[in-house]
Amino acid sequence: MSDDGIAVEFGPLSLHVPEPAVRPGGEPDFSNVTFPDAGSVRRPDVDTNPEDMRDLAFSIIRVLNPEGEAVGPWANLLTDDQLVEGLRHMMTLRTFDARMQIAQRQGKTSFYMQHLGEEAVSCAFRKALVQGDMNFPTYRQAGLLIAGEYPMVEMMCQIYSNERDPLKGRQLPIMYSSKEHGFFSISGNLATQYIQAVGWAMASAIKKDSKIAAAWIGDGSTAESDFHAALVFASTYKAPVVLNIVNNQWAISTFQGIARGGSGTFAARGLGFGIPALRVDGNDYLAVFAVAQWATERARRNLGPTLVEYVTYRAGAHSTSDDPSAYRPKMESEAWPLGDPIMRLKNHLIARGAWSEERHTQTEAEILDTVIAAQKEAESFGTLHAGGKPSARDMFEGVYEEMPPHLRRQRQQAGV
């Protein structure tokens, strides 16, 4: 019945279920993703009102063009030496990944998660941070540690859960933790750390400190309620935090359209909270650093949070327990339009005369030797099924400032 009393007939209701553009066996299709030309997206002043930059939530900031040149207002923020350092960090992370993937297949650890295709996101972002800033990462931001010069041997010992594991066997493999390196303990419960990062940033401001926080989340986990709660607190209290969303197109076996819903982009989620939101080419090291520097400066100047969506692609499996051929075309990663982050930065440096194919090959060999040496040292302290293990007494330590009587009794009974 309409408002004027006239009967109106409606058909049955229907439910919209998003579908991926292509399934296994089909041809890869990224026609739904629009990539603006490199250098074409404007760079607003860092203190720009969020209402005056809404367009950036629907575009993609890019610096490197197809010829390997850095162009546009977001370019020329790093020296050649800094870019070479960034290239080495990404190459190291990829080599580290490959060796640990093999180690898992050999039974030296229970599982592993690669960063293949996403190296630029964490490696470049780390260079915009300072000592004391705190990341609240997911399980695919080990580049924050690699670029922060965290010892690879310690990373490997944590993966192997051996006697030198800095976390004493209390975490799953790849769930690193280092306060000194600004890397909050990884949680297997997705999205929990997003709101923790906002709380940490609020505490830093309350204490009149100068350190900021960076929250990290994958595209699929933005469907969790903690993500939205974090945006409420960050926008209300103008917390000094950068809210990072790594959109690698696939949340385990679920394509990004499920979590994104009708918002068009993940960055657009920030607009409803009055948070400035940007999208950036996550496979462009220069663009990632430029956006990270812009967002971190905004936080340090008490201008509040920034939401950043990194448009990238998970080229490998979600983990060693996953088979991506079951839910996407086998050749889809090769068809990804934004290419390989390492190759793009390599080509840029060659075009500038700061790198060469010969130097790249030599560096690959040097990095491989370094990673293998670190692996041998780590394995000398034990692996999953061989060698030294954390002591059983470690489960009683580091929890309470003063051990309660019932735990003292249990430790005595255990004889540790």
Side-chain angles (χ1 to χ4, degrees):
M1 190 72 70
S2 64
D3 291 341
D4 56 7
I6 300 175
V8 179
E9 293 293 333
F10 295 99
L13 298 174
S14 62
L15 189 66
H16 171 67
V17 180
E19 291 284 341
V22 63
R23 294 188 178 278
E27 290 294 324
D29 182 10
F30 292 105
S31 60
N32 61 321
V33 186
T34 302
F35 301 103
D37 292 337
S40 64
V41 178
R42 66 190 181 94
R43 186 182 189 279
D45 293 335
V46 74
D47 59 353
T48 298
N49 190 308
E51 295 180 1
D52 297 326
M53 47 183 290
R54 294 174 62 88
D55 56 304
L56 297 186
F58 299 97
S59 189
I60 300 178
I61 296 165
R62 306 178 66 199
V63 171
L64 293 175
N65 67 15
E67 290 73 39
E69 302 166 324
V71 295
W74 297 87
N76 304 317
L77 299 180
L78 293 166
T79 66
D80 286 347
D81 287 344
Q82 290 172 323
L83 290 174
V84 167
E85 181 185 48
L87 179 62
R88 290 183 65 93
H89 288 153
M90 290 195 291
M91 293 169 68
T92 300
L93 177 57
R94 184 165 293 185
T95 303
F96 180 95
D97 269 353
R99 295 299 303 183
M100 292 297 97
Q101 183 91 350
I102 293 172
Q104 191 279 333
R105 297 309 190 200
Q106 294 172 335
K108 296 176 180 179
T109 184
S110 56
F111 81 105
Y112 189 74
M113 304 182 80
Q114 287 185 302
H115 305 69
L116 187 62
E118 301 179 44
E119 293 91 351
V121 175
S122 54
C123 288
F125 186 90
R126 177 61 181 81
K127 306 312 291 183
L129 300 177
V130 301
Q131 181 66 32
D133 291 339
M134 184 60 70
N135 286 282
F136 289 74
T138 72
Y139 36 63
R140 224 180 297 277
Q141 276 87 52
L144 295 168
L145 292 173
I146 294 289
E149 307 301 333
Y150 185 76
M152 279 191 291
V153 173
E154 290 198 26
M155 294 176 69
M156 292 174 175
C157 285
Q158 194 279 325
I159 291 169
Y160 292 140
S161 298
N162 61 28
E163 64 185 14
R164 284 283 297 272
D165 176 4
L167 304 185
K168 304 181 185 300
R170 293 168 175 163
Q171 272 281 32
L172 294 170
I174 63 86
M175 292 191 178
Y176 316 103
S177 176
S178 176
K179 181 178 180 180
E180 295 76 15
H181 287 77
F183 199 91
F184 198 85
S185 303
I186 294 178
S187 171
N189 298 316
L190 303 182
T192 60
Q193 288 167 282
Y194 223 66
I195 196 165
Q196 293 167 2
V198 175
W200 191 98
M202 291 170 60
S204 182
I206 290 170
K207 293 187 297 184
K208 303 298 181 185
D209 204 341
S210 60
K211 306 304 186 291
I212 66 171
W216 294 88
I217 200 168
D219 51 289
S221 299
T222 61
E224 295 283 350
S225 58
D226 281 352
F227 170 78
H228 301 277
L231 266 60
V232 170
F233 278 82
S235 61
T236 300
Y237 297 102
K238 297 191 182 301
V241 61
V242 182
L243 302 163
N244 295 308
I245 302 173
V246 182
N247 175 11
N248 64 16
Q249 312 303 309
W250 289 96
I252 308 182
S253 58
T254 304
F255 84 113
Q256 62 158 330
I258 296 293
R260 189 187 65 235
S263 61
T265 71
F266 290 97
R269 295 271 178 82
L271 299 181
F273 295 89
I275 298 176
L278 303 84
R279 300 178 83 217
V280 60
D281 178 347
N283 289 21
D284 182 338
Y285 186 96
L286 285 76
V288 171
F289 173 79
V291 169
Q293 186 186 62
W294 189 95
T296 55
E297 180 183 346
R298 188 176 178 93
R300 296 187 205 284
R301 290 174 56 180
N302 278 316
L303 296 170
T306 302
L307 185 69
V308 181
E309 176 188 346
Y310 302 87
V311 182
T312 182
Y313 186 84
R314 171 167 60 78
H318 180 264
S319 73
T320 50
S321 302
D322 176 45
D323 176 15
S325 66
Y327 53 82
R328 69 188 189 190
K330 290 185 177 181
M331 306 301 291
E332 189 176 82
S333 63
E334 297 180 17
W336 175 242
L338 294 180
D340 182 302
I342 292 178
M343 294 303 296
R344 290 176 67 186
L345 183 53
K346 166 193 166 184
N347 293 337
H348 171 64
L349 286 167
I350 290 176
R352 290 182 61 83
W355 201 245
S356 66
E357 291 287 355
E358 294 75 18
R359 190 174 173 187
H360 192 83
T361 300
Q362 179 183 357
T363 301
E364 283 182 323
E366 292 172 353
I367 289 173
L368 178 59
D369 288 344
T370 300
V371 173
I372 289 176
Q375 185 176 5
K376 288 180 178 179
E377 181 179 350
E379 291 182 1
S380 72
F381 302 113
T383 62
L384 179 62
H385 297 298
K389 307 290 183 187
S391 171
R393 69 175 178 271
D394 290 331
M395 76 175 80
F396 298 98
E397 302 289 348
V399 180
Y400 295 94
E401 182 176 3
E402 183 175 342
M403 190 179 299
H406 73 283
L407 288 185
R408 285 202 300 269
R409 289 193 299 271
Q410 290 179 21
R411 180 174 175 175
Q412 291 170 355
Q413 291 168 3
V416 294

